[in-house]
mmCIF file of all heavy atoms in Angstrom:
data_model
loop_
_atom_site.group_PDB
_atom_site.id
_atom_site.type_symbol
_atom_site.label_atom_id
_atom_site.label_comp_id
_atom_site.label_asym_id
_atom_site.label_seq_id
_atom_site.Cartn_x
_atom_site.Cartn_y
_atom_site.Cartn_z
ATOM 1 N N ALA A 1 2.458 15.324 -13.355
ATOM 2 C CA ALA A 1 1.489 16.085 -14.131
ATOM 3 C C ALA A 1 0.393 16.601 -13.195
ATOM 4 O O ALA A 1 0.175 16.030 -12.117
ATOM 5 C CB ALA A 1 0.890 15.208 -15.217
ATOM 6 N N PRO A 2 -0.302 17.649 -13.597
ATOM 7 C CA PRO A 2 -1.371 18.202 -12.746
ATOM 8 C C PRO A 2 -2.405 17.147 -12.384
ATOM 9 O O PRO A 2 -2.899 16.424 -13.253
ATOM 10 C CB PRO A 2 -1.980 19.292 -13.623
ATOM 11 C CG PRO A 2 -0.882 19.699 -14.546
ATOM 12 C CD PRO A 2 -0.108 18.442 -14.815
ATOM 13 N N GLY A 3 -2.694 17.058 -11.098
ATOM 14 C CA GLY A 3 -3.706 16.118 -10.637
ATOM 15 C C GLY A 3 -3.267 14.671 -10.585
ATOM 16 O O GLY A 3 -4.071 13.786 -10.295
ATOM 17 N N LYS A 4 -1.988 14.423 -10.871
ATOM 18 C CA LYS A 4 -1.494 13.042 -10.877
ATOM 19 C C LYS A 4 -0.352 12.871 -9.880
ATOM 20 O O LYS A 4 0.261 13.840 -9.442
ATOM 21 C CB LYS A 4 -1.028 12.656 -12.280
ATOM 22 C CG LYS A 4 -2.144 12.620 -13.313
ATOM 23 C CD LYS A 4 -1.647 12.067 -14.621
ATOM 24 C CE LYS A 4 -2.778 11.950 -15.643
ATOM 25 N NZ LYS A 4 -2.311 11.392 -16.936
ATOM 26 N N GLU A 5 -0.067 11.620 -9.565
ATOM 27 C CA GLU A 5 1.035 11.337 -8.665
ATOM 28 C C GLU A 5 2.371 11.450 -9.406
ATOM 29 O O GLU A 5 2.441 11.311 -10.627
ATOM 30 C CB GLU A 5 0.887 9.934 -8.077
ATOM 31 C CG GLU A 5 -0.320 9.769 -7.180
ATOM 32 C CD GLU A 5 -0.357 8.401 -6.521
ATOM 33 O OE1 GLU A 5 0.427 7.522 -6.917
ATOM 34 O OE2 GLU A 5 -1.175 8.215 -5.600
ATOM 35 N N ARG A 6 3.409 11.682 -8.640
ATOM 36 C CA ARG A 6 4.751 11.719 -9.211
ATOM 37 C C ARG A 6 5.108 10.319 -9.724
ATOM 38 O O ARG A 6 4.842 9.315 -9.056
ATOM 39 C CB ARG A 6 5.759 12.178 -8.169
ATOM 40 C CG ARG A 6 7.120 12.521 -8.726
ATOM 41 C CD ARG A 6 7.996 13.206 -7.672
ATOM 42 N NE ARG A 6 7.402 14.459 -7.210
ATOM 43 C CZ ARG A 6 8.041 15.323 -6.431
ATOM 44 N NH1 ARG A 6 9.298 15.096 -6.063
ATOM 45 N NH2 ARG A 6 7.437 16.427 -6.043
ATOM 46 N N GLU A 7 5.717 10.277 -10.909
ATOM 47 C CA GLU A 7 6.030 8.978 -11.494
ATOM 48 C C GLU A 7 7.476 8.924 -11.973
ATOM 49 O O GLU A 7 8.082 9.945 -12.324
ATOM 50 C CB GLU A 7 5.093 8.682 -12.673
ATOM 51 C CG GLU A 7 5.236 9.623 -13.848
ATOM 52 C CD GLU A 7 4.364 9.214 -15.034
ATOM 53 O OE1 GLU A 7 3.584 8.262 -14.916
ATOM 54 O OE2 GLU A 7 4.494 9.869 -16.087
ATOM 55 N N PHE A 8 7.978 7.726 -12.020
ATOM 56 C CA PHE A 8 9.341 7.467 -12.460
ATOM 57 C C PHE A 8 9.477 7.711 -13.962
ATOM 58 O O PHE A 8 8.593 7.366 -14.738
ATOM 59 C CB PHE A 8 9.709 6.021 -12.138
ATOM 60 C CG PHE A 8 10.991 5.562 -12.757
ATOM 61 C CD1 PHE A 8 12.205 5.961 -12.232
ATOM 62 C CD2 PHE A 8 10.979 4.736 -13.868
ATOM 63 C CE1 PHE A 8 13.393 5.541 -12.808
ATOM 64 C CE2 PHE A 8 12.151 4.301 -14.452
ATOM 65 C CZ PHE A 8 13.369 4.709 -13.912
ATOM 66 N N VAL A 9 10.617 8.295 -14.352
ATOM 67 C CA VAL A 9 10.914 8.513 -15.764
ATOM 68 C C VAL A 9 12.169 7.736 -16.170
ATOM 69 O O VAL A 9 12.140 6.943 -17.105
ATOM 70 C CB VAL A 9 11.105 10.013 -16.065
ATOM 71 C CG1 VAL A 9 11.552 10.214 -17.516
ATOM 72 C CG2 VAL A 9 9.829 10.793 -15.785
ATOM 73 N N ALA A 10 13.276 7.999 -15.473
ATOM 74 C CA ALA A 10 14.544 7.366 -15.861
ATOM 75 C C ALA A 10 15.486 7.369 -14.671
ATOM 76 O O ALA A 10 15.360 8.212 -13.772
ATOM 77 C CB ALA A 10 15.181 8.100 -17.029
ATOM 78 N N ALA A 11 16.439 6.437 -14.667
ATOM 79 C CA ALA A 11 17.419 6.376 -13.596
ATOM 80 C C ALA A 11 18.745 5.876 -14.136
ATOM 81 O O ALA A 11 18.789 5.126 -15.118
ATOM 82 C CB ALA A 11 16.932 5.457 -12.474
ATOM 83 N N MET A 12 19.811 6.298 -13.472
ATOM 84 C CA MET A 12 21.155 5.923 -13.899
ATOM 85 C C MET A 12 22.014 5.642 -12.672
ATOM 86 O O MET A 12 21.881 6.308 -11.656
ATOM 87 C CB MET A 12 21.757 7.033 -14.759
ATOM 88 C CG MET A 12 23.179 6.824 -15.221
ATOM 89 S SD MET A 12 23.641 7.924 -16.562
ATOM 90 C CE MET A 12 23.074 6.972 -17.973
ATOM 91 N N SER A 13 22.919 4.693 -12.803
ATOM 92 C CA SER A 13 23.806 4.328 -11.707
ATOM 93 C C SER A 13 24.897 5.371 -11.500
ATOM 94 O O SER A 13 25.059 6.298 -12.294
ATOM 95 C CB SER A 13 24.442 2.971 -12.003
ATOM 96 O OG SER A 13 25.225 3.055 -13.197
ATOM 97 N N ARG A 14 25.664 5.186 -10.442
ATOM 98 C CA ARG A 14 26.749 6.115 -10.120
ATOM 99 C C ARG A 14 27.708 6.296 -11.283
ATOM 100 O O ARG A 14 28.134 7.400 -11.589
ATOM 101 C CB ARG A 14 27.528 5.582 -8.917
ATOM 102 C CG ARG A 14 26.810 5.609 -7.610
ATOM 103 C CD ARG A 14 27.647 4.913 -6.535
ATOM 104 N NE ARG A 14 28.981 5.489 -6.435
ATOM 105 C CZ ARG A 14 29.971 4.949 -5.733
ATOM 106 N NH1 ARG A 14 29.764 3.817 -5.075
ATOM 107 N NH2 ARG A 14 31.144 5.525 -5.667
ATOM 108 N N SER A 15 28.073 5.213 -11.885
ATOM 109 C CA SER A 15 29.065 5.264 -12.965
ATOM 110 C C SER A 15 28.471 5.647 -14.306
ATOM 111 O O SER A 15 29.196 6.016 -15.234
ATOM 112 C CB SER A 15 29.728 3.896 -13.104
ATOM 113 O OG SER A 15 28.775 2.942 -13.533
ATOM 114 N N GLY A 16 27.167 5.543 -14.423
ATOM 115 C CA GLY A 16 26.518 5.791 -15.706
ATOM 116 C C GLY A 16 26.403 4.558 -16.568
ATOM 117 O O GLY A 16 25.819 4.601 -17.650
ATOM 118 N N GLY A 17 26.925 3.440 -16.089
ATOM 119 C CA GLY A 17 26.924 2.244 -16.905
ATOM 120 C C GLY A 17 25.629 1.465 -16.894
ATOM 121 O O GLY A 17 25.410 0.590 -17.746
ATOM 122 N N THR A 18 24.770 1.765 -15.957
ATOM 123 C CA THR A 18 23.482 1.077 -15.848
ATOM 124 C C THR A 18 22.369 2.106 -15.836
ATOM 125 O O THR A 18 22.480 3.139 -15.161
ATOM 126 C CB THR A 18 23.410 0.244 -14.553
ATOM 127 O OG1 THR A 18 24.570 -0.582 -14.452
ATOM 128 C CG2 THR A 18 22.169 -0.618 -14.536
ATOM 129 N N PHE A 19 21.301 1.838 -16.574
ATOM 130 C CA PHE A 19 20.207 2.791 -16.627
ATOM 131 C C PHE A 19 18.918 2.049 -16.950
ATOM 132 O O PHE A 19 18.924 0.909 -17.426
ATOM 133 C CB PHE A 19 20.470 3.901 -17.648
ATOM 134 C CG PHE A 19 20.993 3.405 -18.959
ATOM 135 C CD1 PHE A 19 20.130 2.976 -19.954
ATOM 136 C CD2 PHE A 19 22.363 3.345 -19.190
ATOM 137 C CE1 PHE A 19 20.611 2.503 -21.161
ATOM 138 C CE2 PHE A 19 22.865 2.881 -20.394
ATOM 139 C CZ PHE A 19 21.984 2.450 -21.387
ATOM 140 N N THR A 20 17.817 2.730 -16.668
ATOM 141 C CA THR A 20 16.502 2.154 -16.926
ATOM 142 C C THR A 20 15.516 3.275 -17.209
ATOM 143 O O THR A 20 15.725 4.425 -16.780
ATOM 144 C CB THR A 20 16.041 1.302 -15.730
ATOM 145 O OG1 THR A 20 14.803 0.668 -16.039
ATOM 146 C CG2 THR A 20 15.855 2.154 -14.477
ATOM 147 N N TYR A 21 14.451 2.933 -17.929
ATOM 148 C CA TYR A 21 13.462 3.920 -18.333
ATOM 149 C C TYR A 21 12.051 3.411 -18.070
ATOM 150 O O TYR A 21 11.791 2.205 -18.093
ATOM 151 C CB TYR A 21 13.574 4.220 -19.826
ATOM 152 C CG TYR A 21 14.889 4.831 -20.240
ATOM 153 C CD1 TYR A 21 15.909 4.036 -20.776
ATOM 154 C CD2 TYR A 21 15.120 6.197 -20.094
ATOM 155 C CE1 TYR A 21 17.121 4.598 -21.157
ATOM 156 C CE2 TYR A 21 16.323 6.759 -20.480
ATOM 157 C CZ TYR A 21 17.322 5.958 -21.007
ATOM 158 O OH TYR A 21 18.518 6.508 -21.386
ATOM 159 N N ALA A 22 11.146 4.350 -17.869
ATOM 160 C CA ALA A 22 9.727 4.012 -17.845
ATOM 161 C C ALA A 22 9.305 3.616 -19.258
ATOM 162 O O ALA A 22 9.813 4.153 -20.247
ATOM 163 C CB ALA A 22 8.907 5.205 -17.367
ATOM 164 N N ASP A 23 8.374 2.705 -19.345
ATOM 165 C CA ASP A 23 7.914 2.235 -20.658
ATOM 166 C C ASP A 23 7.334 3.371 -21.494
ATOM 167 O O ASP A 23 7.464 3.384 -22.720
ATOM 168 C CB ASP A 23 6.867 1.143 -20.475
ATOM 169 C CG ASP A 23 7.469 -0.159 -19.986
ATOM 170 O OD1 ASP A 23 8.706 -0.326 -20.097
ATOM 171 O OD2 ASP A 23 6.712 -1.012 -19.493
ATOM 172 N N SER A 24 6.703 4.330 -20.846
ATOM 173 C CA SER A 24 6.013 5.402 -21.559
ATOM 174 C C SER A 24 6.954 6.314 -22.332
ATOM 175 O O SER A 24 6.531 7.004 -23.268
ATOM 176 C CB SER A 24 5.179 6.230 -20.589
ATOM 177 O OG SER A 24 6.020 6.819 -19.607
ATOM 178 N N ILE A 25 8.209 6.353 -21.962
ATOM 179 C CA ILE A 25 9.162 7.250 -22.618
ATOM 180 C C ILE A 25 10.315 6.507 -23.274
ATOM 181 O O ILE A 25 11.188 7.141 -23.874
ATOM 182 C CB ILE A 25 9.690 8.311 -21.641
ATOM 183 C CG1 ILE A 25 10.364 7.661 -20.414
ATOM 184 C CG2 ILE A 25 8.568 9.224 -21.187
ATOM 185 C CD1 ILE A 25 11.811 7.319 -20.579
ATOM 186 N N LYS A 26 10.334 5.218 -23.175
ATOM 187 C CA LYS A 26 11.425 4.427 -23.731
ATOM 188 C C LYS A 26 11.537 4.658 -25.235
ATOM 189 O O LYS A 26 10.536 4.650 -25.957
ATOM 190 C CB LYS A 26 11.195 2.945 -23.432
ATOM 191 C CG LYS A 26 12.430 2.080 -23.563
ATOM 192 C CD LYS A 26 12.141 0.673 -23.074
ATOM 193 C CE LYS A 26 11.885 0.627 -21.595
ATOM 194 N NZ LYS A 26 11.680 -0.746 -21.091
ATOM 195 N N GLY A 27 12.768 4.907 -25.681
ATOM 196 C CA GLY A 27 13.011 5.171 -27.093
ATOM 197 C C GLY A 27 12.921 6.638 -27.465
ATOM 198 O O GLY A 27 13.311 7.030 -28.567
ATOM 199 N N ARG A 28 12.398 7.457 -26.551
ATOM 200 C CA ARG A 28 12.279 8.902 -26.824
ATOM 201 C C ARG A 28 13.165 9.740 -25.902
ATOM 202 O O ARG A 28 13.642 10.798 -26.299
ATOM 203 C CB ARG A 28 10.822 9.351 -26.668
ATOM 204 C CG ARG A 28 9.850 8.640 -27.600
ATOM 205 C CD ARG A 28 8.473 9.275 -27.535
ATOM 206 N NE ARG A 28 7.843 9.120 -26.227
ATOM 207 C CZ ARG A 28 7.474 10.140 -25.449
ATOM 208 N NH1 ARG A 28 7.673 11.382 -25.846
ATOM 209 N NH2 ARG A 28 6.873 9.911 -24.283
ATOM 210 N N PHE A 29 13.369 9.279 -24.681
ATOM 211 C CA PHE A 29 14.171 10.012 -23.704
ATOM 212 C C PHE A 29 15.491 9.274 -23.459
ATOM 213 O O PHE A 29 15.543 8.040 -23.508
ATOM 214 C CB PHE A 29 13.438 10.117 -22.375
ATOM 215 C CG PHE A 29 12.218 10.998 -22.373
ATOM 216 C CD1 PHE A 29 11.665 11.498 -23.553
ATOM 217 C CD2 PHE A 29 11.607 11.340 -21.169
ATOM 218 C CE1 PHE A 29 10.544 12.306 -23.544
ATOM 219 C CE2 PHE A 29 10.490 12.152 -21.130
ATOM 220 C CZ PHE A 29 9.950 12.619 -22.319
#
């Protein structure tokens, strides 16, 4: 976001079987 540092949102493994989300977007993204 403007004036802010880059932050993590979501990540997924090679196979797609493992993933994780930032708390701020969990349940929405």
